[in-house]
Amino acid sequence: MAYSTSGNGPGLVTFDTEKLSHCSFEVGPIRPPSEGGSHSLLLRATRNCSWNRCRFCYGMIYNREKFELRSVEDIKKDIDAVKAIADEIKAVSWKLGYGGAVKADVGIAMIRRDPSLRANQSFVIVFDWFHFGARTVFLQDANTLIMPTDQLLEVVRYLKKTFPTIERITSYARAKTLAKKPLEELKELSSAGLSRLHVGLETGDDELLSNVDKGVTAAEHIEAGKKAKEAGFELSEYVMIDLGGRARSEQHARNTARVLNEIDPDFIRLRPLAIGPGLPLYEDYTQGLLQLSSPHERLQEVKTLVENLHVTSSVCFDHFLNSWYRDSDRRYTLFKQEYDGYKFPQEKDKVLQLIEEGLRVDESTHIHVKDLIGLAHL
Ligand code: SF4
């Protein structure tokens, strides 16, 4: 039994949350921050990473577990579970007098009725998704595009049919996979509703791509990016600042700008390098093979990159690792960390001005990567 706390509902209504304890779906460990900002539904289409070799990552986020394709049947069952949870939430909303709307008060009443729902990940994700309009979906894990195209198409179509409110479906994609996939198949996926791809460019420098075992060349990155654009996807390319350390900073920045200029993606998202024990790149560091840059040196690298960019992309600093500050009290980050970032070329000068500002701020004001990852000895 639950009391309606506010709104149009009757003073006393009854409902049961028992069914929700039997409904769940599989969720992978990560998603891009922008998908969190969009309150995307997280749906696991594949498991783990099909490559697992990049030396700055090593698939650690997936515990280095083996890559697995999931069957379309299993993914559809998960989509059905999402629907069943949503239907239960809406049924409670109706009972409370909210006409099926997924309002905060509905969630509060349900959690009062059954406190275990607070820790029920499937319930929390679906509630949040519907509370914010059920518009965007992120297909997990690291390289969903590797699914056979007919299977991925079936998943995308089933999702859109089950939830007509969906406006955007996104996924991670390895550039190598994108480059290999026929353009016609990419176009089919894009027309069916897979709308945005997140690609880890990391760097456009061939020597560095090889050093970090990214498994893709700069030319393949360009081919993949251009194909994604031509097929009609919105494209986010992720760049790893300081990937080459002090020694390769200049070539990293210049060649990354060169590749990005060729692709001209919709979004360029900066993710400064952070390494820790267990990563091959960390071993390089401990053996003196990699010298990490200081905050000002990293900023200088961003400056070289930005100066050489001739794109119409939005350049985004939407991650806490972009930890440069504008004043000594560390009250304001240097760059806004919004998901839409700075629109180029219109805001290129503004970004360059901010960089100069950051270079004028005493270096100790900016947070060093060692503080961020809790490794003070770095
Ligand atoms: S492809 Fe992505 S998830 Fe896989 S190892 Fe490389 S960076 Fe990590």
Side-chain angles (χ1 to χ4, degrees):
M1 184 174 291
Y3 289 91
S4 143
T5 50
S6 62
N8 314 317
L12 178 65
V13 293
T14 58
F15 59 83
D16 194 355
T17 55
E18 164 69 15
K19 220 171 159 185
L20 287 171
S21 58
H22 305 295
C23 293
S24 67
F25 56 95
E26 194 167 326
V27 179
I30 59 164
R31 46 112 182 102
S34 54
E35 300 297 336
S38 306
H39 302 274
S40 297
L41 171 70
L42 304 180
L43 194 72
R44 204 169 196 186
T46 57
R47 295 192 186 100
N48 312 312
C49 174
S50 57
W51 181 245
N52 258 359
R53 283 169 53 176
C54 304
R55 302 182 77 246
F56 54 87
C57 164
Y58 222 38
M60 297 281 271
I61 195 78
Y62 305 108
N63 290 322
R64 292 197 54 70
E65 283 174 22
K66 205 167 137 271
F67 173 76
E68 286 175 340
L69 290 169
R70 295 189 70 207
S71 70
V72 171
E73 192 190 353
D74 278 355
I75 303 169
K76 280 183 168 177
K77 273 188 198 155
D78 277 0
I79 295 170
D80 292 340
V82 172
K83 175 87 165 58
I85 295 168
D87 288 347
E88 283 298 302
I89 296 170
K90 286 179 191 171
V92 172
S93 167
W94 276 105
K95 285 192 175 180
L96 291 175
Y98 291 105
V102 182
K103 303 227 177 229
D105 280 349
V106 175
I108 291 167
M110 293 181 82
I111 286 170
R112 273 194 193 142
R113 172 73 181 82
D114 178 1
S116 75
L117 287 177
R118 201 187 284 279
N120 179 331
Q121 187 186 40
S122 298
F123 167 77
V124 171
I125 289 176
V126 175
F127 189 93
D128 184 64
W129 190 46
F130 271 88
H131 183 59
F132 287 94
R135 294 195 182 94
T136 60
V137 180
F138 178 65
L139 296 176
Q140 299 173 294
D141 281 350
N143 188 21
T144 293
L145 214 66
I146 204 169
M147 282 175 72
T149 301
D150 58 336
Q151 295 184 17
L152 185 50
L153 274 171
E154 203 176 330
V155 169
V156 169
R157 287 179 180 141
Y158 191 68
L159 255 174
K160 292 206 72 158
K161 191 175 129 210
T162 310
F163 303 108
T165 51
I166 291 175
E167 294 167 2
R168 189 182 86 197
I169 302 175
T170 65
S171 118
Y172 283 132
R174 281 196 75 222
K176 191 87 171 184
T177 308
L178 248 174
K180 279 188 190 159
K181 203 92 149 166
L183 180 62
E184 283 315 309
E185 291 186 22
L186 292 174
K187 282 183 176 170
E188 253 190 294
L189 287 165
S190 157
S191 310
L194 181 63
S195 35
R196 180 183 287 184
L197 296 177
H198 298 275
V199 176
L201 168 69
E202 328 302 357
T203 178
D205 182 68
D206 271 320
E207 186 189 353
L208 202 41
L209 283 167
S210 165
N211 283 357
V212 300
D213 205 2
K214 186 68 194 169
V216 60
T217 62
E220 286 168 327
H221 263 312
I222 293 170
E223 186 189 346
K226 283 185 164 176
K227 256 168 112 175
K229 293 286 296 171
E230 192 182 342
F233 292 107
E234 262 192 321
L235 181 63
S236 281
E237 294 274 359
Y238 290 74
V239 174
M240 195 163 277
I241 296 302
D242 204 22
L243 186 61
R246 207 166 268 152
R248 297 191 176 85
S249 179
E250 182 80 12
Q251 70 187 71
H252 173 32
R254 288 187 183 279
N255 283 322
T256 300
R258 177 183 64 81
V259 168
L260 287 168
N261 290 341
E262 292 273 348
I263 300 172
D264 195 15
D266 299 277
F267 299 96
I268 297 169
R269 301 187 189 276
L270 269 54
R271 300 283 182 272
L273 173 73
I275 51 172
L279 292 174
L281 217 53
Y282 180 76
E283 303 308 316
D284 286 2
Y285 168 76
T286 55
Q287 290 167 23
L289 300 172
L290 171 72
Q291 274 87 44
L292 294 174
S293 305
S294 71
H296 271 181
E297 287 168 331
R298 284 184 165 207
L299 211 42
Q300 185 61 49
E301 185 174 298
V302 177
K303 182 178 171 186
T304 306
L305 170 71
V306 169
E307 278 175 342
N308 286 282
L309 277 180
H310 306 289
V311 291
T312 61
S313 321
S314 292
V315 176
C316 314
F317 300 83
D318 52 337
H319 195 278
F320 75 98
L321 285 168
N322 290 292
S323 56
W324 296 283
Y325 283 82
R326 298 176 78 167
D327 64 21
S328 54
D329 292 334
R330 292 184 174 179
R331 281 176 305 166
Y332 310 106
T333 51
L334 187 58
F335 307 105
K336 62 181 179 183
Q337 296 195 340
E338 290 160 19
Y339 304 116
D340 288 342
Y342 299 89
K343 181 71 184 150
F344 275 36
Q346 299 90 320
E347 294 189 282
K348 177 172 170 172
D349 284 346
K350 186 174 179 182
V351 172
L352 287 170
Q353 279 166 19
L354 287 169
I355 293 170
E356 291 304 333
E357 229 178 90
L359 288 170
R360 282 195 297 272
V361 171
D362 189 89
E363 195 163 38
S364 63
T365 295
H366 306 299
I367 298 179
H368 196 287
V369 65
K370 70 185 180 194
D371 300 320
L372 281 171
I373 58 180
L375 296 171
H377 59 284
L378 273 178

